[in-house]
Amino acid sequence: MSSKKFAKESAVIMTEMVLPNDTNTLNNLMGGKLMHWMDVVAAIAAQKHSNSIVVTASADNISFQEPIALGNVVTLKAQVTRAFNSSMEVFIEVTAEDIPAMKKVMTHRAFFTFVAVDENNKPSRIPELIPETPEEIENFEGALRRRQLRLVLAKRMKPEDAVELKSIFNLD
Ligand SMILES: CC(C)(COP(=O)(O)OP(=O)(O)OC[C@H]1O[C@@H](n2cnc3c(N)ncnc32)[C@H](O)[C@@H]1OP(=O)(O)O)[C@@H](O)C(=O)NCCC(=O)NCCS
């Protein structure tokens, strides 16, 4: 397997229509259903980058500001932003479209982290990711401080070791 892959090689686009079974009593998309779709599209992006089985390690905060209505077409785009040792961060962007009304809105953006695992469910080494476009480079650079923040919150990193975080809060 190549030890380096381009960010664009992991890109995935998934399209769904909100059907009655997907909604709450207000006829809007259930939050849990949307999170399920986000998890699936992001897992496929992580698999494409790592060519491995992946598990969800964490999902960064997701807020629900815009309801997505019954009959809307939901497009989920996912792409790996950065690969570390066995883990990779995936950026997901969600848009909802009312096609008859010709209205389209971006409703959610989120970062999920996946870990590639081997046949014994042990974390396994993944290829390095190469960003190319300005947006990919920006996401790549931000990924290190987001990783440190989530590892500190998960109590997997000591705050004093989160060097990137310290630099944005001017803690030195
Ligand atoms: C995620 C998991 C594989 C980590 O295993 P572990 O034995 O703790 O492994 P490690 O401590 O060596 O960490 C492995 C990687 O996971 C990352 N990781 C662990 N917990 C994390 C978290 N909460 N958020 C982000 N990354 C995390 C580590 O930073 C490390 O990344 P790196 O290899 O790129 O440096 C393990 O906790 C697990 O299997 N969790 C359950 C996953 C699951 O069932 N998901 C839902 C269904 S898919």
CSV table of all heavy atoms in Angstrom, one decimal, residues 38-48 50-59 80 86-90 111-124 126 150 156:
chain,number,residue,atom,x,y,z
A,38,MET,N,-24.3,10.7,8.8
A,38,MET,CA,-23.0,11.4,8.8
A,38,MET,C,-21.9,10.3,9.2
A,38,MET,O,-20.8,10.3,8.6
A,38,MET,CB,-23.0,12.5,9.9
A,38,MET,CG,-23.8,13.7,9.5
A,38,MET,SD,-24.1,14.8,10.9
A,38,MET,CE,-22.7,15.9,10.7
A,39,ASP,N,-22.2,9.4,10.1
A,39,ASP,CA,-21.3,8.4,10.5
A,39,ASP,C,-21.0,7.5,9.3
A,39,ASP,O,-19.8,7.1,9.1
A,39,ASP,CB,-21.9,7.6,11.6
A,39,ASP,CG,-20.9,6.7,12.4
A,39,ASP,OD1,-19.8,7.1,12.5
A,39,ASP,OD2,-21.4,5.7,13.0
A,40,VAL,N,-22.0,7.1,8.5
A,40,VAL,CA,-21.8,6.2,7.4
A,40,VAL,C,-20.9,6.9,6.3
A,40,VAL,O,-19.9,6.3,5.8
A,40,VAL,CB,-23.1,5.8,6.8
A,40,VAL,CG1,-22.9,5.0,5.5
A,40,VAL,CG2,-23.9,4.9,7.8
A,41,VAL,N,-21.2,8.2,5.9
A,41,VAL,CA,-20.5,8.8,4.9
A,41,VAL,C,-19.0,9.0,5.3
A,41,VAL,O,-18.1,8.9,4.5
A,41,VAL,CB,-21.2,10.1,4.4
A,41,VAL,CG1,-21.0,11.2,5.4
A,41,VAL,CG2,-20.6,10.6,3.0
A,42,ALA,N,-18.9,9.4,6.6
A,42,ALA,CA,-17.5,9.7,7.1
A,42,ALA,C,-16.7,8.4,7.2
A,42,ALA,O,-15.5,8.4,6.9
A,42,ALA,CB,-17.6,10.4,8.4
A,43,ALA,N,-17.3,7.3,7.5
A,43,ALA,CA,-16.7,6.0,7.6
A,43,ALA,C,-16.2,5.6,6.2
A,43,ALA,O,-15.1,5.0,6.1
A,43,ALA,CB,-17.6,4.9,8.2
A,44,ILE,N,-17.0,5.8,5.2
A,44,ILE,CA,-16.6,5.4,3.9
A,44,ILE,C,-15.4,6.3,3.4
A,44,ILE,O,-14.4,5.7,2.9
A,44,ILE,CB,-17.8,5.6,2.9
A,44,ILE,CG1,-18.9,4.7,3.2
A,44,ILE,CG2,-17.3,5.3,1.4
A,44,ILE,CD1,-20.2,5.0,2.4
A,45,ALA,N,-15.4,7.6,3.8
A,45,ALA,CA,-14.2,8.4,3.4
A,45,ALA,C,-12.9,7.9,4.1
A,45,ALA,O,-11.9,7.8,3.6
A,45,ALA,CB,-14.5,9.9,3.8
A,46,ALA,N,-13.1,7.5,5.4
A,46,ALA,CA,-12.0,7.0,6.2
A,46,ALA,C,-11.5,5.7,5.6
A,46,ALA,O,-10.3,5.4,5.6
A,46,ALA,CB,-12.4,6.8,7.7
A,47,GLN,N,-12.4,4.8,5.2
A,47,GLN,CA,-12.0,3.5,4.6
A,47,GLN,C,-11.3,3.8,3.3
A,47,GLN,O,-10.3,3.1,3.0
A,47,GLN,CB,-13.3,2.7,4.2
A,47,GLN,CG,-13.9,2.0,5.4
A,47,GLN,CD,-14.7,0.8,5.0
A,47,GLN,OE1,-14.9,0.5,3.8
A,47,GLN,NE2,-15.2,0.1,6.0
A,48,LYS,N,-11.7,4.8,2.5
A,48,LYS,CA,-11.1,5.1,1.2
A,48,LYS,C,-9.6,5.5,1.4
A,48,LYS,O,-8.7,5.2,0.7
A,48,LYS,CB,-11.9,6.1,0.4
A,48,LYS,CG,-13.1,5.6,-0.2
A,48,LYS,CD,-13.9,6.6,-1.0
A,48,LYS,CE,-13.2,6.9,-2.4
A,48,LYS,NZ,-14.1,7.8,-3.2
A,50,SER,N,-7.7,4.8,4.2
A,50,SER,CA,-6.9,3.8,4.9
A,50,SER,C,-6.9,2.5,4.2
A,50,SER,O,-6.1,1.6,4.5
A,50,SER,CB,-7.4,3.7,6.3
A,50,SER,OG,-8.7,3.3,6.4
A,51,ASN,N,-7.9,2.2,3.3
A,51,ASN,CA,-8.1,0.9,2.8
A,51,ASN,C,-8.1,-0.2,3.9
A,51,ASN,O,-7.4,-1.2,3.9
A,51,ASN,CB,-7.0,0.5,1.7
A,51,ASN,CG,-7.2,1.3,0.5
A,51,ASN,OD1,-6.3,2.2,0.2
A,51,ASN,ND2,-8.2,1.1,-0.2
A,52,SER,N,-8.9,0.2,4.9
A,52,SER,CA,-8.9,-0.6,6.1
A,52,SER,C,-10.3,-0.6,6.7
A,52,SER,O,-11.1,0.3,6.4
A,52,SER,CB,-7.9,0.0,7.1
A,52,SER,OG,-8.0,-0.6,8.4
A,53,ILE,N,-10.6,-1.5,7.7
A,53,ILE,CA,-11.8,-1.4,8.5
A,53,ILE,C,-11.5,-0.3,9.4
A,53,ILE,O,-10.4,-0.1,10.0
A,53,ILE,CB,-12.0,-2.8,9.2
A,53,ILE,CG1,-12.4,-3.9,8.2
A,53,ILE,CG2,-13.1,-2.6,10.3
A,53,ILE,CD1,-12.4,-5.2,8.8
A,54,VAL,N,-12.6,0.5,9.7
A,54,VAL,CA,-12.4,1.7,10.6
A,54,VAL,C,-13.5,1.6,11.6
A,54,VAL,O,-14.6,1.1,11.4
A,54,VAL,CB,-12.5,3.0,9.8
A,54,VAL,CG1,-11.3,3.1,8.8
A,54,VAL,CG2,-13.8,3.2,9.1
A,55,VAL,N,-13.2,2.2,12.8
A,55,VAL,CA,-14.3,2.4,13.8
A,55,VAL,C,-14.3,3.9,14.2
A,55,VAL,O,-13.3,4.6,14.1
A,55,VAL,CB,-14.0,1.6,15.1
A,55,VAL,CG1,-14.1,0.1,14.8
A,55,VAL,CG2,-12.6,1.9,15.7
A,56,THR,N,-15.5,4.3,14.6
A,56,THR,CA,-15.7,5.7,15.0
A,56,THR,C,-15.1,5.9,16.4
A,56,THR,O,-15.5,5.2,17.3
A,56,THR,CB,-17.2,6.1,15.1
A,56,THR,OG1,-17.9,5.5,14.0
A,56,THR,CG2,-17.4,7.6,15.2
A,57,ALA,N,-14.1,6.8,16.5
A,57,ALA,CA,-13.5,7.1,17.8
A,57,ALA,C,-14.2,8.2,18.5
A,57,ALA,O,-14.4,8.2,19.7
A,57,ALA,CB,-12.0,7.4,17.7
A,58,SER,N,-14.6,9.3,17.7
A,58,SER,CA,-15.3,10.4,18.3
A,58,SER,C,-16.0,11.2,17.2
A,58,SER,O,-15.6,11.2,16.1
A,58,SER,CB,-14.3,11.3,19.1
A,58,SER,OG,-13.5,12.0,18.2
A,59,ALA,N,-17.0,12.0,17.7
A,59,ALA,CA,-17.7,12.9,16.8
A,59,ALA,C,-17.7,14.3,17.6
A,59,ALA,O,-18.2,14.3,18.7
A,59,ALA,CB,-19.2,12.5,16.6
A,80,VAL,N,-11.4,13.1,4.2
A,80,VAL,CA,-10.4,13.1,5.3
A,80,VAL,C,-9.6,14.4,5.2
A,80,VAL,O,-9.1,14.8,4.2
A,80,VAL,CB,-9.5,11.8,5.2
A,80,VAL,CG1,-8.4,11.8,6.3
A,80,VAL,CG2,-10.3,10.6,5.3
A,86,SER,N,-2.8,5.9,13.5
A,86,SER,CA,-3.9,5.0,13.1
A,86,SER,C,-5.2,5.8,12.9
A,86,SER,O,-6.2,5.2,12.4
A,86,SER,CB,-4.1,3.9,14.1
A,86,SER,OG,-4.5,4.5,15.4
A,87,SER,N,-5.3,7.0,13.4
A,87,SER,CA,-6.5,7.8,13.4
A,87,SER,C,-6.5,8.8,12.3
A,87,SER,O,-5.4,9.3,11.9
A,87,SER,CB,-6.8,8.5,14.7
A,87,SER,OG,-5.9,9.5,14.9
A,88,MET,N,-7.7,9.2,11.9
A,88,MET,CA,-7.9,10.2,10.8
A,88,MET,C,-9.1,11.1,11.1
A,88,MET,O,-10.1,10.5,11.6
A,88,MET,CB,-7.9,9.7,9.4
A,88,MET,CG,-9.0,8.8,9.1
A,88,MET,SD,-8.6,7.4,8.0
A,88,MET,CE,-8.6,6.0,9.1
A,89,GLU,N,-9.0,12.4,10.9
A,89,GLU,CA,-10.1,13.3,11.0
A,89,GLU,C,-10.8,13.4,9.7
A,89,GLU,O,-10.2,13.6,8.7
A,89,GLU,CB,-9.6,14.6,11.5
A,89,GLU,CG,-10.8,15.6,11.8
A,89,GLU,CD,-10.3,17.0,12.0
A,89,GLU,OE1,-9.9,17.7,11.0
A,89,GLU,OE2,-10.4,17.5,13.1
A,90,VAL,N,-12.2,13.4,9.8
A,90,VAL,CA,-13.0,13.5,8.5
A,90,VAL,C,-13.9,14.7,8.7
A,90,VAL,O,-14.6,14.9,9.7
A,90,VAL,CB,-13.9,12.2,8.3
A,90,VAL,CG1,-14.7,12.3,7.0
A,90,VAL,CG2,-13.0,11.0,8.3
A,111,PHE,N,-16.8,17.4,12.4
A,111,PHE,CA,-15.6,16.6,12.3
A,111,PHE,C,-15.7,15.3,13.1
A,111,PHE,O,-16.1,15.4,14.3
A,111,PHE,CB,-14.3,17.3,12.8
A,111,PHE,CG,-14.0,18.6,12.0
A,111,PHE,CD1,-14.4,19.8,12.4
A,111,PHE,CD2,-13.2,18.4,10.9
A,111,PHE,CE1,-14.1,20.9,11.7
A,111,PHE,CE2,-12.8,19.6,10.1
A,111,PHE,CZ,-13.3,20.8,10.5
A,112,PHE,N,-15.5,14.2,12.5
A,112,PHE,CA,-15.5,12.9,13.1
A,112,PHE,C,-14.1,12.3,13.1
A,112,PHE,O,-13.3,12.6,12.1
A,112,PHE,CB,-16.4,11.9,12.4
A,112,PHE,CG,-17.9,12.1,12.7
A,112,PHE,CD1,-18.5,13.3,12.9
A,112,PHE,CD2,-18.7,10.9,12.7
A,112,PHE,CE1,-19.9,13.4,13.1
A,112,PHE,CE2,-20.1,11.1,12.9
A,112,PHE,CZ,-20.7,12.3,13.1
A,113,THR,N,-13.7,11.5,14.0
A,113,THR,CA,-12.4,10.8,14.0
A,113,THR,C,-12.7,9.3,13.9
A,113,THR,O,-13.5,8.7,14.7
A,113,THR,CB,-11.6,11.1,15.3
A,113,THR,OG1,-11.5,12.5,15.4
A,113,THR,CG2,-10.3,10.5,15.3
A,114,PHE,N,-11.9,8.7,13.0
A,114,PHE,CA,-12.0,7.2,12.8
A,114,PHE,C,-10.6,6.6,13.1
A,114,PHE,O,-9.6,7.3,12.8
A,114,PHE,CB,-12.5,6.9,11.4
A,114,PHE,CG,-13.9,7.2,11.2
A,114,PHE,CD1,-14.3,8.5,10.9
A,114,PHE,CD2,-14.9,6.2,11.3
A,114,PHE,CE1,-15.7,8.8,10.8
A,114,PHE,CE2,-16.2,6.5,11.2
A,114,PHE,CZ,-16.6,7.8,10.9
A,115,VAL,N,-10.6,5.4,13.5
A,115,VAL,CA,-9.4,4.7,13.7
A,115,VAL,C,-9.4,3.4,12.9
A,115,VAL,O,-10.4,2.7,12.9
A,115,VAL,CB,-9.2,4.3,15.2
A,115,VAL,CG1,-7.9,3.4,15.4
A,115,VAL,CG2,-9.1,5.6,16.1
A,116,ALA,N,-8.3,3.2,12.1
A,116,ALA,CA,-8.2,2.0,11.3
A,116,ALA,C,-7.7,0.9,12.2
A,116,ALA,O,-6.9,1.0,13.1
A,116,ALA,CB,-7.1,2.2,10.2
A,117,VAL,N,-8.4,-0.3,12.1
A,117,VAL,CA,-8.1,-1.4,12.9
A,117,VAL,C,-7.8,-2.7,12.1
A,117,VAL,O,-8.3,-2.8,11.0
A,117,VAL,CB,-9.2,-1.7,13.9
A,117,VAL,CG1,-9.3,-0.6,15.0
A,117,VAL,CG2,-10.5,-2.0,13.2
A,118,ASP,N,-6.9,-3.5,12.6
A,118,ASP,CA,-6.6,-4.8,11.9
A,118,ASP,C,-7.5,-5.9,12.3
A,118,ASP,O,-8.6,-5.7,12.9
A,118,ASP,CB,-5.1,-5.1,12.2
A,118,ASP,CG,-4.9,-5.5,13.7
A,118,ASP,OD1,-5.8,-5.7,14.4
A,118,ASP,OD2,-3.7,-5.5,14.1
A,119,GLU,N,-7.2,-7.1,11.8
A,119,GLU,CA,-8.2,-8.2,12.0
A,119,GLU,C,-8.3,-8.6,13.5
A,119,GLU,O,-9.3,-9.2,13.9
A,119,GLU,CB,-7.7,-9.5,11.2
A,119,GLU,CG,-6.3,-10.0,11.5
A,119,GLU,CD,-5.2,-9.2,10.8
A,119,GLU,OE1,-5.4,-8.2,10.1
A,119,GLU,OE2,-4.0,-9.6,11.0
A,120,ASN,N,-7.4,-8.1,14.4
A,120,ASN,CA,-7.6,-8.3,15.8
A,120,ASN,C,-8.1,-7.1,16.5
A,120,ASN,O,-8.0,-6.9,17.8
A,120,ASN,CB,-6.2,-8.6,16.4
A,120,ASN,CG,-5.6,-9.9,15.8
A,120,ASN,OD1,-6.3,-10.9,15.7
A,120,ASN,ND2,-4.4,-9.8,15.4
A,121,ASN,N,-8.7,-6.1,15.7
A,121,ASN,CA,-9.3,-4.9,16.3
A,121,ASN,C,-8.2,-4.0,16.9
A,121,ASN,O,-8.6,-3.1,17.8
A,121,ASN,CB,-10.4,-5.1,17.3
A,121,ASN,CG,-11.7,-5.6,16.6
A,121,ASN,OD1,-11.8,-5.5,15.4
A,121,ASN,ND2,-12.6,-6.2,17.4
A,122,LYS,N,-7.0,-4.1,16.5
A,122,LYS,CA,-5.9,-3.3,17.1
A,122,LYS,C,-5.7,-2.2,16.1
A,122,LYS,O,-5.7,-2.4,14.9
A,122,LYS,CB,-4.6,-4.1,17.2
A,122,LYS,CG,-4.7,-5.2,18.3
A,122,LYS,CD,-4.7,-4.6,19.7
A,122,LYS,CE,-4.9,-5.7,20.7
A,122,LYS,NZ,-5.9,-5.3,21.8
A,123,PRO,N,-5.4,-0.9,16.6
A,123,PRO,CA,-5.2,0.2,15.7
A,123,PRO,C,-4.0,-0.1,14.8
A,123,PRO,O,-3.0,-0.7,15.2
A,123,PRO,CB,-4.8,1.3,16.6
A,123,PRO,CG,-5.5,1.0,17.9
A,123,PRO,CD,-5.5,-0.5,18.0
A,124,SER,N,-4.2,0.2,13.5
A,124,SER,CA,-3.1,-0.1,12.5
A,124,SER,C,-2.7,1.2,11.8
A,124,SER,O,-3.5,2.1,11.6
A,124,SER,CB,-3.6,-1.1,11.5
A,124,SER,OG,-4.7,-0.7,10.8
A,126,ILE,N,-1.8,4.0,9.1
A,126,ILE,CA,-2.4,4.4,7.9
A,126,ILE,C,-1.5,5.3,7.0
A,126,ILE,O,-0.6,5.9,7.6
A,126,ILE,CB,-3.8,5.2,8.2
A,126,ILE,CG1,-3.5,6.4,9.2
A,126,ILE,CG2,-4.8,4.2,8.8
A,126,ILE,CD1,-4.7,7.2,9.4
A,150,ARG,N,-9.7,17.4,21.4
A,150,ARG,CA,-10.6,16.3,21.7
A,150,ARG,C,-9.8,15.2,22.6
A,150,ARG,O,-10.5,14.6,23.5
A,150,ARG,CB,-11.2,15.7,20.5
A,150,ARG,CG,-10.3,15.1,19.4
A,150,ARG,CD,-11.1,14.5,18.3
A,150,ARG,NE,-11.6,15.5,17.4
A,150,ARG,CZ,-11.0,15.9,16.3
A,150,ARG,NH1,-9.9,15.4,15.9
A,150,ARG,NH2,-11.5,16.8,15.5
A,156,ARG,N,-7.1,11.8,27.3
A,156,ARG,CA,-6.1,10.9,26.7
A,156,ARG,C,-4.8,11.7,26.4
A,156,ARG,O,-3.9,11.2,25.9
A,156,ARG,CB,-6.6,10.4,25.3
A,156,ARG,CG,-7.6,9.2,25.5
A,156,ARG,CD,-8.1,8.7,24.2
A,156,ARG,NE,-8.9,7.5,24.4
A,156,ARG,CZ,-8.3,6.3,24.2
A,156,ARG,NH1,-7.1,6.1,23.8
A,156,ARG,NH2,-9.1,5.2,24.4
